[in-house]
Amino acid sequence: MSLSSRCRGAALSALLLFGLTGPLQAADPIKVKVFVGSMFEIGKNTGDRAGEFQHWYERYWQTAEPITVKGALNPVYCNADGVCGSVLGMGKVSSSASMQAILLNPQLDLAQAYFLVTGVAGTPPSRGTIGEVSWATWVVDYDLGHRWAPEENKPGEPTFMPRKGYEAVRLFPMNQALVSWAMRLTADTPLKDSDSARAYRKRYPQETAQRAPFVGTGTHMTGDTFFHGPGMSAQAQYIAKLYGADDYVITEMEAAAITLVIKRLQGSDRVMSLRGAVNFDQGNPNETTLQHLDPKPGETAGGFAETVENVELVGSRMVDHIVGHWDQWKDGVPALPAP
């Protein structure tokens, strides 16, 4: 081959590589309107027993191609309306690592996105019930502080003390306007229930524990420890009050860490935490805490399948409203109309 032929070949290759009018551009990032983050799925995303993600997947992403994100535990799925979601992983470390990887991924434009952190949780029987769904008004980190054994303290006094220096990373007020919108749009959502959950509630004397599922609000307490028992529940309530938050109503493992990651990268005004209660954080008066932690066959709360569906039924109302009225929501939470 002559030198001129090689030169012409090289020039043609350059044209094919860079295009006739300039370098080929990478695909534009997907503009995300709402991102839904669940913590676990039991098996497949569809067709088997549903975990936290399956109902969301079946509603929004059955035809979506998975987007692999380096550093995230699972792929991200997006639909044509700008609704994206992923299973982030359980616990503060795994879930927040996934969220940061997704936020920094150039395939996704999350600059205007609303974030919905969803999953199952526990609740104190004095403030919640099996199958209920709760929007967070505050998200509080349960772990950042000093703890010691009760026998090393004066009887009846708290065994927790906040550690100085963590003020900005342990307490997150949710955008009250966003919570008000969520309750306006979802409070009357018909919720699923089950005979097993109804029977289980009767073991508890508290009036709220015996209620049918409802949509409510309150503080969500984030801890890597599955704490159980009336003493630990009282400590969670003590921490909520110590920090100036609302009543503790939900115990979960991820929301504070995920919120912190989003806040550092782009602010937390568009973050929502939505949880469904699948267990009480303590036993009934006729069982010990250990019996509650390790129940006999047939002694579990029941209502799991109904609760994960309830979370999606409630949350999708909010998602669909934001996406359906994007011109009003894209620049921030709009003023709530008069009732």
Side-chain angles (χ1 to χ4, degrees):
M1 180 184 291
S2 67
L3 178 62
S4 59
S5 297
R6 288 199 296 271
C7 289
R8 285 195 299 271
L12 178 60
S13 296
L15 285 173
L16 291 173
L17 178 62
F18 291 103
L20 296 176
T21 58
L24 290 175
Q25 300 297 314
D28 290 336
I30 298 168
K31 292 189 177 296
V32 184
K33 296 174 183 175
V34 180
F35 179 87
V36 179
S38 298
M39 306 308 128
F40 72 87
E41 185 50 60
I42 295 172
K44 298 179 180 179
N45 287 336
T46 185
D48 58 3
R49 184 188 179 199
E52 293 180 343
F53 191 63
Q54 186 169 129
H55 292 296
W56 294 99
Y57 179 86
E58 291 175 345
R59 184 180 184 91
Y60 294 109
W61 305 302
Q62 291 210 67
T63 60
E65 292 294 325
I67 301 170
T68 300
V69 174
K70 184 178 181 180
L73 183 63
N74 290 286
V76 174
Y77 298 90
C78 295
N79 68 11
D81 294 324
V83 180
C84 298
S86 184
V87 177
L88 303 177
M90 293 182 66
K92 288 189 283 187
V93 174
S94 182
S95 62
S96 61
S98 292
M99 190 72 257
Q100 180 158 307
I102 291 166
L103 282 163
L104 296 175
N105 190 277
Q107 300 173 89
L108 303 167
D109 178 358
L110 291 133
Q112 292 183 302
Y114 290 85
F115 296 86
L116 184 55
V117 182
T118 72
V120 297
T123 187
S126 60
R127 289 170 174 81
T129 192
I130 305 301
E132 72 153 307
V133 179
S134 171
W135 294 99
T137 52
W138 296 78
V139 174
V140 174
D141 192 293
Y142 173 80
D143 299 312
L144 292 173
H146 299 278
R147 281 186 172 84
W148 54 96
E151 61 268 21
E152 297 166 1
N153 201 24
K154 293 180 180 180
E157 289 193 359
T159 56
F160 174 86
M161 181 173 64
R163 183 176 175 87
K164 293 182 179 179
Y166 292 116
E167 290 79 8
V169 299
R170 67 187 177 205
L171 178 65
F172 303 94
M174 296 290 98
N175 184 334
Q176 185 55 54
L178 197 52
V179 176
S180 296
W181 265 107
M183 286 301 291
R184 176 76 68 90
L185 293 169
T186 69
D188 63 349
T189 305
L191 300 180
K192 305 288 185 178
D193 203 357
S194 69
D195 291 339
S196 61
R198 293 185 189 97
Y200 189 82
R201 294 185 194 110
K202 293 179 180 179
R203 303 179 183 188
Y204 287 79
Q206 294 90 341
E207 182 179 351
T208 305
Q210 295 186 14
R211 286 184 60 181
F214 61 92
V215 180
T217 63
T219 291
H220 292 190
M221 190 70 62
T222 302
D224 276 326
T225 301
F226 284 91
F227 62 82
H228 283 266
M232 302 303 287
S233 181
Q235 186 173 98
Q237 189 65 263
Y238 170 77
I239 293 170
K241 292 304 180 183
L242 192 67
Y243 293 165
D246 293 333
D247 275 358
Y248 148 66
V249 299
I250 285 291
T251 167
E252 44 82 18
M253 300 177 65
E254 297 88 12
I258 294 171
T259 301
L260 176 60
V261 167
I262 299 169
K263 181 179 180 180
R264 284 184 173 175
L265 289 173
Q266 60 188 63
S268 58
D269 283 349
R270 299 189 182 201
V271 177
M272 297 168 279
S273 178
L274 180 67
R275 294 282 177 159
V278 294
N279 65 272
F280 292 115
D281 69 358
Q282 58 195 271
N284 66 66
N286 297 316
E287 65 181 343
T288 66
T289 297
L290 288 179
Q291 287 171 334
H292 178 67
L293 280 170
D294 187 22
K296 296 177 181 178
E299 299 293 308
T300 55
F304 180 91
E306 292 75 20
T307 303
V308 292
E309 187 173 359
N310 286 344
V311 173
E312 186 274 327
L313 289 170
V314 170
S316 62
R317 284 190 168 191
M318 190 66 178
V319 172
D320 292 347
H321 181 88
I322 291 172
V323 172
H325 300 81
W326 186 241
D327 285 345
Q328 289 78 47
W329 283 81
K330 62 182 180 181
D331 295 323
V333 180
L336 196 68

